[in-house]
């Protein structure tokens, strides 16, 4: 019975010629309409669909020579959005009216950018990523950032003291990798902002709440949670190539992996003239600097029993 039904449906359905292009870039779009003048480093492009019956590869190549932007037909891109050069927008993506995308950004299928949001050059939004929100205020990302699968960045905070209509802000620097299912919220009030610096690795399912202030070169392991108004620092200096633990942070031991990454080998660990090794010299200098004028010294050492 099922086979007979399928046969009838096939006879009723008209023949459709389908051409398959790159699933991320889709069909190129181009337009004869004049683009409005745009300040800063961005330029606008309006991109109508290519003829589905035309040769896909040659059409893409020809259009790429004239205009390097590619937007999939199923993407919803507001005409007022400001799009840089070399931007790729995959299927079922959304780009809002107040969005600015820098040069070379890539939006994979099902990623979305909303609200007053500016994304710098060469950022990558993985499938399901959401950046920005339709709220007063602004979300700003620097260059070369990766927003992981289904990460949510720059949305409304979860602070009950937030008043609807208040401006709220999120500023993220450059070269950050924000992994899957991470959430990063805007500030809870207009006088503050959530800030993340440069070159941070924020692993999967982390949460950075409203008004947090994160510096540079940090690594947040999976499921790390920061409540509101957290500043990531310690009360006293942490010497180079050491590890701290606890609240308040206390020295636990050497960061051997950090030493190895900076050229400190197992052979050098047995060297009696350690003072000549660059990594050791750097560590000693950081200890001396911690006791300079107006400094609070280094963290206390915590004895670890291993139990």
């Amino acid at each position: 019975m099922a086979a007979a039904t399928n046969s009838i449906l096939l006879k009723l359905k008209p023949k459709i010629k389908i051409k398959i292009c790159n699933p991320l870039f889709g069909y190129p779009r181009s337009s004869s309409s004049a683009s409005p003048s745009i300040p800063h480093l961005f330029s606008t492009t309006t991109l109508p669909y290519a003829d589905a019956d035309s040769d896909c590869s040659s059409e893409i190549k020809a259009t790429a020579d004239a205009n390097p932007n590619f937007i999939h037909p199923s993407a919803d891109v507001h005409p007022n959005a400001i799009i840089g050069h070399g931007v790729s927008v995959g299927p079922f993506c959304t780009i809002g009216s107040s969005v600015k995308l820098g040069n070379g950004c890539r939006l994979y299928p099902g990623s979305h950018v909303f609200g007053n949001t500016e994304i710098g050059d060469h950022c990558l939004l993985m499938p399901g990523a959401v950046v920005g929100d339709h709220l007063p205020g602004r979300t700003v990302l620097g260059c070369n950032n990766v927003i992981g699968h289904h990460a949510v960045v720059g949305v409304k905070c979860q602070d009950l003291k937030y008043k609807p209509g208040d401006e709220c802000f999120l500023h993220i620097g450059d070269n950050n990798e924000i992994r899957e299912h991470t959430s990063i919220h805007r500030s809870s009030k207009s006088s503050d902002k959530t800030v993340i610096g440069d070159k941070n690795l924020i692993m999967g399912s982390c949460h950075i709440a409203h008004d947090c202030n994160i510096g540079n070169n940090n690594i947040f392991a999976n499921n790390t949670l920061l409540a509101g108004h957290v500043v990531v620092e310690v009360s006293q200096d942490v010497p180079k190539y050491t590890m701290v633990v606890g609240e308040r942070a206390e020295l636990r031991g050497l960061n051997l992996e950090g030493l190895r990454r900076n050229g400190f080998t197992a052979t050098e660990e047995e060297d009696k003239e350690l003072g000549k090794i660059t990594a050791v010299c750097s560590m000693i200098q950081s200890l001396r600097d911690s006791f300079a004028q107006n400094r609070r010294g280094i963290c206390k050492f915590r004895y670890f029993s291993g139990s």
Side-chain angles (χ1 to χ4, degrees), residues 225-272:
L225 307 177
L226 301 184
H229 301 281
V230 172
V231 178
V232 177
E233 61 182 11
V234 293
S235 58
Q236 293 171 293
D237 291 342
V238 178
K240 286 188 176 181
Y241 310 116
T242 62
M243 297 186 296
V244 295
V245 68
E247 171 56 42
R248 299 181 177 260
E250 296 176 331
L251 288 172
R252 172 62 65 86
L254 291 174
N255 180 2
L256 296 178
E257 184 59 33
L259 285 167
R260 293 189 190 100
R261 289 176 180 176
N262 286 274
F264 188 71
T265 65
T267 303
E268 290 172 331
E269 291 178 17
E270 301 174 359
D271 194 326
K272 294 181 180 180

Side-chain angles (χ1 to χ4, degrees), residues 27-28 30 49-51 54-64 70:
Y27 295 110
S30 60
Y49 306 119
D51 182 2
S54 64
D55 179 71
C56 190
S57 59
S58 62
E59 185 74 23
I60 287 179
K61 184 178 186 303
T63 307
F70 293 91

Side-chain angles (χ1 to χ4, degrees), residues 7-258:
S7 177
I8 294 172
L9 291 175
L10 288 173
K11 290 179 180 178
L12 293 175
K13 188 178 293 184
K15 292 182 179 179
I16 301 174
K17 182 181 289 186
I18 299 175
K19 279 190 173 290
I20 299 176
C21 293
N22 184 303
L24 169 61
F25 303 133
Y27 295 110
R29 300 155 120 188
S30 60
S31 176
S32 58
S33 60
S35 299
S37 59
I38 300 297
H40 199 47
L41 299 176
F42 299 93
S43 64
T44 60
T45 53
T46 53
L47 309 167
Y49 306 119
D51 182 2
D53 288 329
S54 64
D55 179 71
C56 190
S57 59
S58 62
E59 185 74 23
I60 287 179
K61 184 178 186 303
T63 307
D65 292 338
N67 191 327
N69 288 15
F70 293 91
I71 297 182
H72 193 273
S74 65
D76 182 7
V77 180
H78 196 281
N80 292 339
I82 299 177
I83 309 295
H85 296 291
V87 172
S88 302
V89 180
F92 308 109
C93 293
T94 306
I95 300 177
S97 60
S98 301
V99 171
K100 295 181 181 180
L101 288 182
N103 300 323
C105 288
R106 302 181 70 183
L107 276 65
Y108 277 85
S111 55
H112 309 280
V113 188
F114 298 119
N116 184 5
T117 298
E118 181 173 344
I119 299 180
D121 295 344
H122 304 293
C123 288
L124 179 65
L125 273 63
M126 299 303 291
V130 176
V131 179
D133 202 345
H134 295 294
L135 297 169
R138 196 178 187 199
T139 297
V140 178
L141 276 67
C143 301
N144 301 307
N145 292 298
V146 177
I147 311 299
H149 298 74
H150 301 283
V152 180
V153 175
V155 298
K156 178 184 174 182
C157 69
Q158 298 176 151
D159 187 355
L160 294 177
K161 295 188 296 295
Y162 172 75
K163 298 178 181 178
D166 283 357
E167 290 189 322
C168 48
F169 302 94
L170 168 65
H171 286 191
I172 296 179
D174 303 329
N175 301 297
N176 295 287
E177 185 170 2
I178 299 168
R179 295 300 300 267
E180 56 274 7
H181 300 286
T182 289
S183 58
I184 302 175
H185 291 171
R186 288 204 214 172
S187 63
S188 62
K189 51 188 177 181
S190 58
S191 59
D192 209 339
K193 58 187 175 183
T194 306
V195 178
I196 296 177
D198 304 329
K199 298 181 180 179
N200 295 290
L201 171 58
I202 303 173
M203 296 185 186
S205 301
C206 290
H207 173 61
I208 298 177
H210 57 90
D211 309 296
C212 286
N213 195 320
I214 310 300
N216 305 323
N217 301 297
N218 296 291
I219 298 176
F220 293 87
N222 298 78
N223 300 305
T224 298
L225 307 177
L226 301 184
H229 301 281
V230 172
V231 178
V232 177
E233 61 182 11
V234 293
S235 58
Q236 293 171 293
D237 291 342
V238 178
K240 286 188 176 181
Y241 310 116
T242 62
M243 297 186 296
V244 295
V245 68
E247 171 56 42
R248 299 181 177 260
E250 296 176 331
L251 288 172
R252 172 62 65 86
L254 291 174
N255 180 2
L256 296 178
E257 184 59 33

